[in-house]
Amino acid sequence: MFSKILIANRGEIALRVVRAAREMGVATVAVHSTADADAMHVRMADESVCIGPASGAQSYLNVAAIVSACEITGAEAIHPGYGFLSENAAFVQVLEDHDITFIGPTAEHIRVMGDKITAKETMRKLGVPCVPGSEGGVPDLQTAELMAAEIGFPVIVKATAGGGGRGMKLARSAADLENAFRTARSEAKAAFGNDEVYIEKYLGTPRHIEVQVFGDGRGRAVHLGERDCSLQRRHQKVLEEAPGPAITPEQRAEIGRTCAEAVARINYAGAGTIEFLYEDGNFYFIEMNTRLQVEHPVTEAVYGVDLVREQINVAAGLPMSFIQEDLRLNGHAIEVRINAEKLPNFSPSPGRITQYHAPGGLGVRMDSALYDGYRIPPYYDSLIGKLIVHGRDRDEALARLRRSLGEIIVDGVDTTIPLFAELVEDPDIRAGNYTIHWLEDWLARNLA
Ligand code: ADP
């Protein structure tokens, strides 16, 4: 086991990693920007190193400073959290060259899954169901027209290098295709410096279902069921739950086995998430995230495992602590993402927290780096906390969500807590009856 690890992140996820490491007897090094000198992750870690000025590009993305921090402190491994450098293959390559262990998959796996066409091709070959579409980049409009006619309208034109929902254009009919093709290409060029696009069948009313997988890097892998993350605003997840209300035990076992076998065959190491659109009983692969997800705690709640501990173990060369048969789904969990944002426009609301009180009690987990008097800096993501509730069934989880939303106090800034207080009363949410468009429609009706 490592004696010391460095956490190349901030906020609640840095704290999350400190907590797992401390339980394992592993010392931690926090890194921080000048704007985060007073942050909770810095206070909670055993040591800390300032790695640059406020801007993320000069601090949490500053590879040279992070590698130096490792060398100065003698940290043997780096946990990247999510975001920042967590899916940066070049960073992982640099660590390999410096004999620092990356707590995550290999640079090669990150590279393969980071390119959407290669990812899809790899998954298709591994037997994972994909959205019907072009089997590679589409070079020109004429090919696009042929492909679209074959797939059938509506189709979606997507950037190979895409991310964050950019470079994606819908064509409802042949008349829309030329425009969709040209705009997707120019957006992709502007956003990613690569104008390659591909075409997929457009699914009208899907749910977003993602399967948690975990591999030991030596050909063994398990799945930990699915999460339904359909409630999204601008392609950003807002509320996640496990298990998915629309997924049957048989479907879970089947898609789970398919995903676990796929990652076992490529010797995948650590935590990964295989994302699908789900419609009419069918799963369609869209992408794989080669890291820990924001919403991992709902899976931890229902399977009773510590995914970060498991990541650290596997990175240290130890076997996974469970096999598939050990993993039993227990009850239901829901997570809501609390952002410092002002409704109805979700504009960022940084500032000083005058009072903070976390909810508690049976089945309630609050992952947050807030404290009384903390000043939320304006430079980073607006996520300030994740409230995760667990119950014996979905109704109990909803009752705990309602109860704990009533207990939270976050004063001094605007937050998305009032949104969740309304959502938890909505008949569709209570029935688990929603698709990826539900929240945008609801917001247009209720907050406009
Ligand atoms: P990104 O990496 O940019 O987030 P994804 O491929 O993960 O792109 O897709 C993001 C979102 O776009 C999905 O969650 C879904 O809402 C929508 N989307 C992507 N592909 C399709 C499709 N074939 N049909 C319908 N919606 C899609």
Side-chain angles (χ1 to χ4, degrees):
M1 182 45 59
F2 309 114
S3 50
K4 194 190 274 187
I5 65 172
L6 181 143
I7 301 154
N9 216 303
R10 63 182 300 282
E12 68 83 21
I13 194 61
L15 214 50
R16 168 73 189 85
V17 179
V18 168
R19 286 173 170 150
R22 185 147 299 147
E23 288 177 15
M24 300 170 82
V26 174
T28 51
V29 179
V31 293
H32 66 91
S33 67
T34 49
D36 275 342
D38 292 331
M40 191 58 123
H41 76 281
V42 175
R43 296 186 178 191
M44 291 271 276
D46 297 298
E47 290 173 67
S48 64
V49 180
C50 181
I51 49 167
S55 106
Q58 293 177 80
S59 52
Y60 299 101
L61 291 167
N62 183 344
V63 174
I66 291 169
V67 170
S68 310
C70 250
E71 286 176 346
I72 293 165
T73 57
E76 304 146 80
I78 295 187
H79 195 299
Y82 51 69
F84 292 124
L85 295 166
S86 62
E87 290 178 292
N88 185 320
F91 172 62
V92 177
Q93 195 68 58
V94 169
L95 298 190
E96 283 170 16
D97 297 343
H98 283 77
D99 270 333
I100 299 167
T101 304
F102 180 68
I103 302 175
T106 59
E108 182 55 21
H109 283 150
I110 295 175
R111 206 172 285 124
V112 166
M113 296 306 163
D115 176 289
K116 295 192 156 198
I117 289 180
T118 332
K120 219 174 146 179
E121 212 171 87
T122 308
M123 286 298 174
R124 188 183 295 120
K125 284 192 192 139
L126 290 167
V128 175
C130 295
V131 192
S134 60
E135 292 207 357
V138 175
D140 50 48
L141 182 62
Q142 206 183 350
T143 318
E145 282 166 348
L146 286 172
M147 293 299 327
E150 202 174 297
I151 299 163
F153 286 96
V155 299
I156 185 163
V157 186
K158 296 170 80 171
T160 307
R166 279 174 304 172
M168 222 183 297
K169 289 286 163 244
L170 170 64
R172 296 207 175 268
S173 67
D176 295 343
L177 187 64
E178 178 170 356
N179 189 31
F181 183 76
R182 293 196 197 291
T183 2
R185 267 182 95 144
S186 59
E187 269 189 34
K189 180 88 188 161
F192 314 109
N194 172 356
D195 71 354
E196 188 177 49
V197 296
Y198 63 106
I199 296 186
E200 271 180 1
K201 176 143 198 70
Y202 177 77
L203 303 167
T205 52
R207 301 181 78 120
H208 173 113
I209 303 290
E210 55 182 40
V211 176
Q212 177 72 55
V213 291
F214 204 99
D216 71 354
R218 293 183 295 271
R220 278 179 201 271
V222 298
H223 74 85
L224 295 96
E226 80 288 353
R227 297 180 284 259
D228 189 323
C229 312
S230 302
L231 288 176
Q232 301 182 5
R233 176 180 176 271
R234 302 203 172 156
H235 299 303
Q236 300 292 318
K237 295 163 190 166
V238 170
L239 177 153
E240 306 94 350
E241 58 181 313
I247 306 300
T248 66
E250 295 71 32
Q251 288 175 317
R252 173 170 314 115
E254 193 188 331
I255 194 68
R257 183 165 37 79
T258 302
C259 291
E261 281 174 9
V263 296
R265 273 172 60 191
I266 58 172
N267 294 325
Y268 186 80
T273 295
I274 305 188
E275 295 193 338
F276 296 94
L277 294 177
Y278 170 86
E279 192 173 81
D280 300 329
N282 297 307
F283 291 90
Y284 302 97
F285 169 77
I286 46 173
E287 66 173 341
M288 176 165 181
N289 293 320
T290 50
R291 56 171 165 82
L292 192 70
Q293 305 262 108
V294 176
E295 58 275 20
H296 76 278
V298 292
T299 300
E300 295 187 320
V302 294
Y303 283 94
V305 300
D306 180 339
L307 286 169
V308 175
R309 179 187 190 100
E310 215 60 39
Q311 287 185 298
I312 297 171
N313 269 334
V314 163
L318 298 171
M320 292 189 287
S321 70
F322 40 68
I323 57 170
Q324 191 68 57
E325 289 67 34
D326 297 331
L327 297 167
R328 297 211 186 279
L329 179 61
N330 169 27
H332 198 97
I334 304 174
E335 172 183 281
V336 297
R337 296 192 189 192
I338 299 171
N339 290 348
E341 287 172 352
K342 189 171 167 59
L343 302 173
N345 299 321
F346 296 86
S347 45
S349 177
R352 192 169 164 274
I353 302 291
T354 50
Q355 199 189 353
Y356 172 62
H357 174 76
L362 185 60
V364 176
R365 166 176 173 182
M366 182 79 192
D367 277 19
S368 171
L370 292 185
Y371 59 85
D372 281 337
Y374 175 62
R375 188 173 287 282
I376 301 168
Y379 312 105
Y380 313 105
D381 194 88
S382 58
L383 181 80
I384 52 167
K386 307 185 309 203
L387 167 60
I388 305 104
V389 292
H390 182 217
R392 284 169 298 182
D393 54 28
R394 194 167 183 276
D395 285 343
E396 193 171 68
L398 282 167
R400 289 211 163 114
L401 179 59
R402 176 195 272 148
R403 189 265 292 169
S404 44
L405 284 168
E407 286 179 22
I408 294 193
I409 300 172
V410 180
D411 284 345
V413 299
D414 287 293
T415 76
T416 51
I417 295 168
L419 168 69
F420 296 115
E422 284 193 51
L423 288 179
V424 76
E425 306 301 339
D426 187 276
D428 283 340
I429 299 297
R430 300 198 69 80
N433 181 21
Y434 52 80
T435 70
I436 59 169
H437 305 298
W438 190 93
L439 184 60
E440 298 269 11
D441 292 346
W442 186 92
L443 290 170
R445 276 184 280 120
N446 291 277
L447 286 187

